[in-house]
Amino acid sequence: DAGITQSPRHKVTETGTPVTLRCHQTENHRYMYWYRQDPGHGLRLIHYSYGVKDTDKGEVSDGYSVSRSKTEDFLLTLESATSSQTSVYFCATGSGTTNTEAFFGQGTRLTVV
Amino acid sequence: GIQVEQSPPDLILQEGANSTLRCNFSDSVNNLQWFHQNPWGQLINLFYIPSGTKQNGRLSATTVATERYSLLYISSSQTTDSGVYFCAVDTGGFKTIFGAGTRLFVKA
């Protein structure tokens, strides 16, 4: 599996505060993704990146922003956390070009109180 | 956007039984993957299978891209097979879209 590290693994934060989650990969994969997982919804794509400084929105991007200043790091920021953003967040990376096999990190459990 | 539907949503098996999980998708895809999420939440790649058939031990998968479905077969199920199985597709826009999953519980 790809070397993908998410930090922190667990976080509790207050409503209205900004939160940043980090994803770090050691595989030099071009593509990186942020998903959230909620009961009954499976995994939903928040944002993705197809190269350094190249990002785009996924299915559920409202309230989130991302940045990718170097290949190995992809940051997800909740600009002003809300209780609806309580979830488990997964980072993934993709190898290949047009056919992208995805590999996942271990997840970050975020609770907004 | 593309729709990915998995069935059944829940499945309970007796250890040793066989099962088939299905994934239907509404549009052409560049690739398809099957994942297993274990009880600890880790997502594990099972198969990368845009078309054809692959086997890995007790698991095998078949994708018929022209008919827009994929099947995951689990034979001689074990308690360690419990968890959630996800199908995920890539439509070529560098986005991997997931189905809602099949939750499997294997009883000893």
Side-chain angles (χ1 to χ4, degrees):
Chain A
D1 284 345
I4 305 170
T5 305
Q6 292 184 228
S7 59
R9 294 291 315 282
H10 302 272
K11 186 172 182 64
V12 180
T13 193
E14 292 186 350
T15 298
T17 61
V19 177
T20 296
L21 308 183
R22 180 178 183 244
C23 178
H24 178 79
Q25 58 131 337
T26 59
E27 300 297 317
N28 200 36
H29 287 167
R30 177 180 174 185
Y31 307 106
M32 297 187 75
Y33 311 85
W34 277 107
Y35 290 86
R36 60 178 289 174
Q37 184 176 24
D38 304 290
H41 289 279
L43 281 86
R44 293 180 292 175
L45 182 64
I46 305 171
H47 281 280
Y48 63 102
S49 170
Y50 46 95
V52 173
K53 297 186 180 179
D54 292 323
T55 64
D56 205 348
K57 296 179 179 180
E59 305 167 81
V60 290
S61 59
D62 288 347
Y64 301 95
S65 62
V66 291
S67 66
R68 190 162 178 209
S69 59
K70 45 186 178 177
T71 300
E72 55 267 34
D73 289 327
F74 193 32
L75 305 180
L76 176 71
T77 297
L78 287 66
E79 294 142 6
S80 177
T82 67
S83 58
S84 65
Q85 293 176 312
T86 293
S87 187
V88 179
Y89 291 86
F90 284 95
C91 172
T93 71
S95 63
T97 53
T98 56
N99 296 326
T100 308
E101 184 175 6
F103 299 92
F104 281 81
Q106 292 184 305
T108 294
R109 183 172 296 276
L110 176 68
T111 302
V112 183
V113 298
Chain B
I2 190 169
Q3 303 298 311
V4 182
E5 296 181 351
Q6 292 187 241
S7 59
D10 297 281
L11 184 60
I12 300 174
L13 297 176
Q14 190 66 47
E15 194 171 30
N18 303 328
S19 64
T20 301
L21 282 57
R22 187 176 181 100
C23 173
N24 292 333
F25 42 96
S26 62
D27 204 348
S28 300
V29 299
N30 277 12
N31 74 62
L32 185 145
Q33 290 182 255
W34 283 98
F35 294 88
H36 175 220
Q37 187 170 38
N38 63 26
W40 296 270
Q42 181 67 31
L43 283 155
I44 301 164
N45 294 50
L46 296 177
F47 294 102
Y48 173 76
I49 185 166
S51 63
T53 298
K54 291 186 177 180
Q55 182 156 5
N56 184 2
R58 297 179 296 102
L59 302 181
S60 63
T62 295
T63 296
V64 184
T66 54
E67 297 186 22
R68 300 180 182 170
Y69 74 88
S70 183
L71 302 174
L72 177 69
Y73 305 95
I74 304 174
S75 64
S76 304
S77 59
Q78 301 176 357
T79 56
T80 52
D81 294 332
S82 296
V84 184
Y85 290 81
F86 289 105
C87 165
V89 302
D90 177 351
T91 59
F94 313 119
K95 296 189 290 186
T96 300
I97 304 299
F98 281 73
T102 292
R103 185 175 301 274
L104 174 65
F105 179 68
V106 181
K107 299 187 295 183

